Amino acid sequence: MTNLILKMRLLIQLFVLLFASVNNGHRLGSSMKPIHYDLLLLPIISGGSPRLCGHVLVDLEPTTTTNVVTFHGVEISILDVSVEPVLDTEKKISSDRSVQLEDLCFSGLFEIVNEAHTVIHEDVERQQISVILKQTLIKGHRYRVGLFYVAKVRDDNRGFFRANYKNDNTSCCHEGWFGGTQMEATNARRVLPCLDEPGFKTTFDVTIGHNRVMSALSNMPEIATRPMKNTREWMWTIFSRSPPMPTYLLAMFVTDYDKVERIYKVCNRTIRMRFWGRRDQLRHLEQSMAVVPDMLNYMETYVHQPFSLPKIDFISAPLELDFEAMENWGLVLFRENRLNFNEETGSEDERFQVVQTMAHELAHQFFGNLVTSDWWSDIWFNEGFCGVFENDLVQHALPNLVFRAEMSKFSSIRTAMKIEEHVHAASVIRAVETADDAEKIFDSITYSKGSGLLLMLRNSVGPQNFRNAVVTYMERYQFQNANSQRFMDILDEEIHKNHDIGRGMNVTKIMHSWTSQQSYPIVRCIRTGNGRVRLSQTPHPVRNNITSDETTNQLWWIPISMTDGNQPDFTQQGTYPRVWLTPERPSLEIPYFPTDSGHDSTNDEDDNWILINGEFSGYVRVLYDDYNWRLISRQLVVNHTVIPQVTRAQLIDDAFTLALGEYLEYKVVLELIEYLTSVSDEFVRATTQFHLKWMRERAKQNESLLTLFEEYTGRLKFERMDDEHPNEYNNLVRTDGFEGEGCFSWSDGVCVDQILGMFRAEMNGTITAANKKAMMEHLERNWCVVMRHGGNDEWKWAWRMSMNDMMASQRAKILSAMTCSQDRNRLKQLLSRVFHPTIEQSPRDTFTMIEKMADNSIGRPMVLNFIKTNWDRLGRHFRRSGDTLKLLASASKFLSTNEELDEMSQFLNDLEKKDTKLDRSITAGILNGIRANIRWTEKHSDKVYSVLEARRTEGRTKASIFKA
């Protein structure tokens, strides 16, 4: 009878447990509050049987009386459980557990001595492990739950991973091993049983076992070492206790890397900075080491908080990470090409990317680490803040890179808008229910739209009010969890101290209209006469995943900044909002400028353009009346530098996008870019070419249109500007010296003859140091020209370079350039790399190469065939779920016939039947994109032809634009 009662009780407990899981989703709930982790970890990373053995003591406080403790856990086997009350938080923990762990990991022997549990239930789908204990845990008391377990050492970069590497580029064999962790977003549960949610911040004690010839690293400084009792040449390294932090920031590494060290001193504090790398990499760490102290000091000064730890380590992994860097508190992990910079071969673009990535991760030491989001749905706030500060920090540390930072800001916001227009519109705050949801939220909407919204907010309230709110936010919530709403509340408090700006302003209401809605608004600006203008808003009609009903009621609080051709002002003051469009007042009519503004409005309507949203001060696009567009076009022809370069690119990007949405005639758009036929404006030209390439693909359906289009685009000026007409972008970026004097053939803005000659000189070893540097400065662009126009010798040499480990940091660019070939057999050879048994191509190189090949009209059918034929194999090849579908979306973006639509529709329909987890928003976006291409071809081809024919006939000049 007793046994029957015990079994019935056990069944009831399991039923309650399962029922709770169904109702609570994938989150653990609030039944347990974690206080502290003491982790003993022994990773075996070399050889053919890698494994992870661990013992963790978790101090918990139940919020309800229970005998069930639930942890997150994936591919973890729990061997033994212990429970004891926590009566003394400083009580020393027995060293016997380290001996047990040695026996377990090295001899495979383990003796169960505690067995404080009756059942361990694993819910694989929810990634949870529930332990039913023999004793009951009383609400409000503290307990220490001990777990012996084994887990996997992985070969990807999730959880605890390993990689082998060569000590230098001349080595023939792998000579070293590297082991480490990547916990974000939900991979700590692959390393230890834990409460793996960002809202659970606890302290950590960490001890790592490792071979004596290797170093162990964790978030905190090492405080002691001791030899293992039963295993020669192995030791334990003990680290000091961490401040409260979430599990996703926990970091542990084991490596035989060398290091260089710097000391950062400020006031009475000393912070040790260590930069880790292989011996051959140490000399390439100088750029990173040079900027860190200044950047860290900037952040400390701005937020009025010191960096909280006594040390910070920077380390790169010798494998292709799925991300650029990870901000682990005190131990930042980088992709190799984001920490190391080779002064001899690296380009200025690569230098900027190294500095920018470092800036982003240092900003995270405060936004995300010191103050942490309480749940993944609000992660845009920390990522957005770091996007804002990465630009500020770069401009502070390297003033000569200011314009690159501005370019990067423009490109980032533009990327988010393009994704919302063509792929998947989304709000920055989104529901996150599962681990897969948490991984997927780290996308361009979170990063790029998030930073764009915060830049808009800072500009709207003023930089000083914004900073004051940041200081208060950091002071109030340091070492705690918070969310974006808390910051908005603080900012409201701050601006209401200023009666001029604060009167009637509600930051929470304003930002809710941006963070909770997908897509973005179009602001219409129409001259009404008598020096007045009518402003109104309408949602962008995102075509892929928002219905017309959904967009009808979308309205925003939009800050409107204005300037004009009479007194153009693109400074911070000039981009400050003059007026707001609101959901309650979505349109209004105002004078160009108030009478007390100092602007002379007597001739405004006849002669002067109006410009809204200068320097991308808001996350909007602007639609002007045709007359104002022509006035702007005239200004660009007369003197384009009156309007700053970022704003010029923004105007052209807006115009093309609005024409695609059928808001604007292409005649107006082509008039706007007319000035590029007489002026080299490279950054703006690159934006223009993006759109012209799309139009060219559409023109291929009509041979006469294609001929006319090629003639028109051939007029755009690609040569470098004369020295007497300096250009901020050319002076900064175009250091290649390709003057093109006497050049007979231009491609991608460079002289084909010169590029081929320099490439061949590099092949035979006769290239000068200056020309080699010039070739490297824009490697992908330059090599693309060679692959397009060169022969078999150039191809073979490029192939050898793509296999050379000395060029590993440039491999992605080389492969991208090689996709420019117009030879089908060469492109087929490139695709053969993906599954080649000896090449071992990384998933990241595969993604980059295939995505780039899809832009090549010759390679595109091959790419589509390759993706469809190898769908399952590619799914296994890529580490991130969904990458194959994203590649398909990229390869499909130029499809524009009904036959192609039918074929793709059938393929996706078959896929959806096989894979219920397929992202339906992307599949819908692919099909809607093809339909939009078909619609554009049917509706606009004749119109564009007429415009181009008219422009050819008229032979438009500056004078003709003056008459517009």
Side-chain angles (χ1 to χ4, degrees):
M1 181 63 71
T2 303
N3 288 337
L4 181 60
I5 292 173
L6 289 173
K7 288 180 181 178
M8 288 294 294
R9 186 177 297 168
L10 181 58
L11 286 172
I12 292 171
Q13 291 169 340
L14 283 171
F15 176 79
V16 170
L17 178 63
L18 292 171
F19 183 78
S21 296
V22 169
N23 283 277
N24 292 334
H26 289 208
R27 297 186 67 171
L28 292 177
S30 57
S31 62
M32 286 288 169
K33 179 183 177 183
I35 308 298
H36 176 68
Y37 292 87
D38 188 303
L39 176 63
L40 189 71
L41 196 70
L42 179 51
I44 309 298
I45 60 175
S46 60
S49 301
R51 54 206 177 276
L52 194 64
C53 305
H55 181 258
V56 62
L57 293 165
V58 189
D59 289 2
L60 298 164
E61 184 177 305
T63 58
T64 182
T65 299
T66 182
N67 69 330
V68 179
V69 181
T70 301
F71 301 96
H72 284 114
V74 176
E75 298 180 311
I76 285 179
S77 298
I78 295 177
L79 305 177
D80 195 15
V81 181
S82 63
V83 181
E84 61 178 345
V86 178
L87 303 175
D88 180 3
T89 57
E90 300 300 322
K91 176 184 175 182
K92 289 190 175 182
I93 297 170
S94 169
S95 62
D96 290 346
R97 65 181 187 144
S98 62
V99 177
Q100 284 180 275
L101 212 58
E102 288 179 50
D103 290 342
L104 172 62
C105 234
F106 290 111
S107 66
L109 300 174
F110 184 75
E111 182 180 356
I112 297 176
V113 295
N114 297 294
E115 205 170 7
H117 62 285
T118 57
V119 171
I120 296 175
H121 171 74
E122 183 176 4
D123 188 329
V124 175
E125 182 182 351
R126 291 177 174 79
Q127 301 185 352
Q128 295 176 6
I129 300 174
S130 295
V131 180
I132 300 178
L133 302 170
K134 294 178 179 176
Q135 72 174 89
T136 299
L137 308 184
I138 307 301
K139 174 184 176 180
H141 292 216
R142 288 193 178 181
Y143 298 88
R144 181 164 294 149
V145 178
L147 305 163
F148 275 103
Y149 66 93
V150 292
K152 289 185 176 181
V153 172
R154 305 174 63 89
D155 291 319
D156 58 14
N157 44 237
R158 296 189 298 167
F160 200 103
F161 61 89
R162 68 167 184 169
N164 49 20
Y165 60 89
K166 300 175 183 178
N167 279 320
D168 59 66
N169 287 323
T170 62
S171 302
C172 65
C173 308
H174 294 296
E175 297 178 353
W177 284 95
F178 177 100
T181 55
Q182 167 55 25
M183 306 297 207
E184 193 180 48
T186 58
N187 291 314
R189 62 192 68 179
R190 300 176 189 275
V191 179
L192 72 156
C194 57
L195 287 79
D196 192 18
E197 296 178 8
F200 294 127
K201 294 185 78 166
T202 67
T203 53
F204 288 83
D205 286 327
V206 174
T207 300
I208 302 174
H210 57 96
N211 193 292
R212 286 181 180 276
V213 301
M214 306 186 85
S215 299
L217 307 174
S218 190
N219 305 80
M220 299 299 290
E222 58 272 20
I223 54 175
T225 60
R226 56 183 171 83
M228 289 191 180
K229 286 191 176 182
N230 300 327
T231 310
R232 294 179 58 188
E233 305 302 323
W234 282 68
M235 61 188 292
W236 296 101
T237 295
I238 301 100
F239 300 89
S240 60
R241 180 167 294 188
S242 76
M245 63 183 188
T247 49
Y248 80 84
L249 290 176
L250 178 63
M252 295 162 284
F253 291 91
V254 175
T255 179
D256 59 2
Y257 277 7
D258 291 328
K259 68 179 183 297
V260 289
E261 191 167 324
R262 293 287 186 273
I263 298 298
Y264 168 66
K265 291 185 177 180
V266 57
C267 299
N268 59 346
R269 294 183 299 116
T270 297
I271 297 173
R272 185 172 50 151
M273 299 177 172
R274 298 183 298 183
F275 299 79
W276 297 80
R278 304 191 304 269
R279 288 191 300 273
D280 61 308
Q281 293 176 328
L282 297 182
R283 61 194 177 96
H284 301 319
L285 292 168
E286 290 296 330
Q287 181 62 75
S288 293
M289 290 189 292
V291 299
V292 169
D294 267 354
M295 288 181 171
L296 192 58
N297 181 259
Y298 181 97
M299 287 302 304
E300 290 184 320
T301 303
Y302 188 98
V303 304
H304 285 196
Q305 292 293 329
F307 177 70
S308 305
L309 308 186
K311 67 90 178 174
I312 184 168
D313 287 303
F314 305 91
I315 192 168
S316 62
L319 81 165
E320 287 290 332
L321 298 174
D322 294 336
F323 48 89
E324 293 189 348
M326 175 60 206
E327 66 268 17
N328 308 309
W329 210 355
L331 178 48
V332 186
L333 172 65
F334 294 83
R335 195 187 298 162
E336 286 189 334
N337 66 348
R338 290 298 182 264
L339 183 63
N340 306 306
F341 176 73
N342 189 329
E343 292 280 355
E344 298 173 4
T345 62
S347 68
E348 287 302 304
D349 274 339
E350 290 165 338
R351 183 196 303 275
F352 174 75
Q353 288 164 358
V354 166
V355 175
Q356 183 185 44
T357 305
M358 179 63 74
H360 189 95
E361 304 315 313
L362 288 176
H364 262 310
Q365 302 303 304
F366 302 87
F367 294 95
N369 296 8
L370 185 61
V371 182
T372 307
S373 295
D374 51 17
W375 184 239
W376 298 116
S377 58
D378 209 45
I379 200 65
W380 77 273
F381 184 63
N382 288 331
E383 295 298 346
F385 252 114
C386 293
V388 169
F389 278 103
E390 73 182 32
N391 287 301
D392 294 351
L393 289 169
V394 168
Q395 294 180 44
H396 170 75
L398 293 175
N400 64 313
L401 296 184
V402 166
F403 188 69
R404 282 185 186 276
E406 291 300 310
M407 288 163 44
S408 176
K409 179 182 78 172
F410 166 80
S411 298
S412 176
I413 296 172
R414 178 172 173 265
T415 295
M417 285 183 157
K418 293 298 177 193
I419 288 173
E420 293 215 87
E421 291 157 6
H422 300 289
V423 182
H424 176 56
S427 59
V428 290
I429 297 179
R430 284 168 273 171
V432 175
E433 302 293 340
T434 67
D436 195 42
D437 292 340
E439 298 288 345
K440 288 179 178 178
I441 204 169
F442 288 87
D443 59 13
S444 292
I445 300 296
T446 291
Y447 285 89
S448 299
K449 185 175 181 178
S451 62
L453 296 185
L454 288 174
L455 284 166
M456 178 179 67
L457 177 61
R458 182 170 68 175
N459 191 71
S460 299
V461 302
Q464 191 57 54
N465 289 322
F466 190 82
R467 182 183 181 182
N468 291 344
V470 168
V471 170
T472 302
Y473 175 77
M474 283 288 163
E475 174 64 29
R476 192 173 295 179
Y477 296 111
Q478 59 179 315
F479 303 111
Q480 300 176 56
N481 292 96
N483 55 39
S484 56
Q485 181 59 56
R486 301 284 178 86
F487 177 77
M488 303 308 165
D489 292 341
I490 292 171
L491 187 53
D492 264 328
E493 295 171 12
E494 184 62 37
I495 64 173
H496 285 121
K497 296 176 185 176
N498 183 333
H499 296 294
D500 291 333
I501 183 176
R503 186 172 59 250
M505 180 180 280
N506 184 321
V507 174
T508 298
K509 182 186 291 187
I510 290 169
M511 290 306 293
H512 180 73
S513 74
W514 292 96
T515 60
S516 64
Q517 294 190 114
Q518 44 198 356
S519 189
Y520 63 84
I522 296 170
V523 173
R524 294 176 183 265
C525 174
I526 309 297
R527 294 164 178 265
T528 59
N530 300 319
R532 298 180 68 79
V533 62
R534 171 163 288 279
L535 303 172
S536 61
Q537 62 167 298
T538 186
H540 183 279
V542 179
R543 68 185 187 217
N544 288 342
N545 63 329
I546 303 179
T547 67
S548 58
D549 290 339
E550 288 177 291
T551 58
T552 299
N553 298 319
Q554 283 188 291
L555 293 169
W556 290 262
W557 283 77
I558 306 173
I560 304 293
S561 64
M562 295 180 67
T563 189
D564 71 340
N566 187 30
Q567 294 185 34
D569 184 1
F570 294 93
T571 65
Q572 180 181 303
Q573 183 63 33
T575 57
Y576 190 77
R578 250 197 67 203
V579 68
W580 290 76
L581 293 177
T582 72
E584 292 79 18
R585 190 182 62 180
S587 65
L588 73 162
E589 188 174 307
I590 59 171
Y592 293 168
F593 287 94
T595 54
D596 60 351
S597 67
H599 281 70
D600 179 8
S601 61
T602 55
N603 294 316
D604 276 351
E605 186 169 4
D606 293 334
D607 298 323
N608 288 307
W609 45 264
I610 302 168
L611 200 145
I612 290 175
N613 198 40
E615 298 295 271
F616 241 142
S617 55
Y619 191 75
V620 304
R621 295 197 187 278
V622 183
L623 175 64
Y624 302 99
D625 57 80
D626 287 357
Y627 184 69
N628 196 65
W629 280 115
R630 287 173 181 149
L631 289 175
I632 293 172
S633 299
R634 184 178 69 176
Q635 178 66 74
L636 294 177
V637 170
V638 174
N639 182 2
H640 63 288
T641 62
V642 168
I643 299 174
Q645 199 159 28
V646 165
T647 304
R648 297 198 297 270
Q650 175 190 341
L651 280 166
I652 288 172
D653 193 54
D654 280 1
F656 272 107
T657 303
L658 293 168
L660 183 62
E662 303 178 10
Y663 288 93
L664 193 63
E665 293 293 332
Y666 275 99
K667 178 182 178 180
V668 177
V669 180
L670 296 180
E671 191 172 77
L672 190 67
I673 65 173
E674 184 74 18
Y675 84 103
L676 292 172
T677 63
S678 57
V679 170
S680 180
D681 194 356
E682 182 164 335
F683 178 54
V684 179
R685 178 175 62 82
T687 302
T688 304
Q689 281 186 307
F690 171 88
H691 293 283
L692 290 177
K693 180 177 182 178
W694 189 91
M695 290 178 66
R696 183 181 184 276
E697 292 293 332
R698 304 285 73 72
K700 286 181 177 179
Q701 305 293 328
N702 183 326
E703 187 173 339
S704 57
L705 174 59
L706 179 61
T707 302
L708 197 57
F709 191 83
E710 297 284 14
E711 179 184 325
Y712 172 77
T713 55
R715 296 172 55 212
L716 298 181
K717 190 173 180 64
F718 291 156
E719 297 90 342
R720 191 177 178 184
M721 293 186 70
D722 296 333
D723 291 339
E724 65 264 29
H725 300 295
N727 173 283
E728 66 268 37
Y729 181 75
N730 287 342
N731 285 348
L732 180 63
V733 179
R734 294 299 299 276
T735 59
D736 47 32
F738 301 148
E739 299 298 339
E741 187 174 343
C743 184
F744 293 102
S745 176
W746 288 87
S747 178
D748 289 340
V750 296
C751 179
V752 175
D753 309 334
Q754 281 186 314
I755 291 290
L756 282 172
M758 294 167 72
F759 190 87
R760 287 162 184 161
E762 190 168 4
M763 288 170 58
N764 59 36
T766 61
I767 192 169
T768 65
N771 282 348
K772 185 170 184 176
K773 178 73 173 175
M775 285 293 288
M776 294 297 295
E777 184 61 36
H778 294 288
L779 185 148
E780 184 178 338
R781 180 199 65 184
N782 296 337
W783 283 40
C784 175
V785 171
V786 174
M787 295 299 102
R788 185 180 295 130
H789 298 279
N792 203 43
D793 290 341
E794 288 80 12
W795 175 266
K796 287 181 178 178
W797 194 80
W799 181 270
R800 287 197 299 272
M801 290 301 99
S802 74
M803 306 292 287
N804 189 335
D805 282 337
M806 294 186 69
M807 299 293 287
S809 63
Q810 306 291 342
R811 185 172 291 124
K813 291 182 179 180
I814 292 173
L815 292 174
S816 292
M818 293 176 75
T819 67
C820 295
S821 173
Q822 303 299 289
D823 186 296
R824 286 179 53 84
N825 288 328
R826 292 172 188 168
L827 296 176
K828 182 179 178 181
Q829 183 184 3
L830 267 185
L831 289 173
S832 73
R833 297 173 60 102
V834 178
F835 302 121
H836 198 285
T838 60
I839 292 179
E840 297 181 1
Q841 179 152 294
S842 73
R844 186 172 186 84
D845 283 348
T846 295
F847 191 94
T848 302
M849 182 187 77
I850 295 180
E851 185 177 45
K852 188 71 175 180
M853 193 183 296
D855 286 343
N856 183 339
S857 59
I858 294 174
R860 191 175 307 129
M862 301 169 64
V863 166
L864 285 165
N865 183 289
F866 183 82
I867 293 173
K868 292 176 181 178
T869 303
N870 297 282
W871 185 268
D872 292 334
R873 292 179 74 187
L874 283 170
R876 294 189 294 271
H877 175 69
F878 290 124
R879 296 191 181 109
R880 294 179 298 184
S881 64
D883 276 0
T884 313
L885 186 59
K886 291 175 184 175
L887 271 184
L888 183 65
S890 183
S892 304
K893 64 187 175 186
F894 293 119
L895 300 182
S896 57
T897 67
N898 286 306
E899 292 77 12
E900 290 168 332
L901 175 61
D902 291 342
E903 184 179 341
M904 183 58 67
S905 180
Q906 183 61 53
F907 178 72
L908 291 177
N909 186 53
D910 293 341
L911 276 182
E912 290 176 348
K913 289 177 181 177
K914 290 194 304 181
D915 185 358
T916 57
K917 293 184 178 181
L918 207 65
D919 191 330
R920 298 304 198 271
S921 66
I922 296 180
T923 59
I926 291 172
L927 297 178
N928 285 330
I930 301 172
R931 293 186 187 105
N933 292 344
I934 295 170
R935 187 168 61 250
W936 188 94
T937 302
E938 294 172 348
K939 192 166 185 176
H940 293 287
S941 290
D942 291 342
K943 292 182 181 179
V944 171
Y945 182 89
S946 298
V947 172
L948 292 175
E949 179 64 29
R951 299 190 76 78
R952 180 171 67 176
T953 303
E954 294 170 9
R956 292 182 65 83
T957 63
K958 292 182 182 181
S960 63
I961 290 183
F962 294 154
K963 298 174 186 176

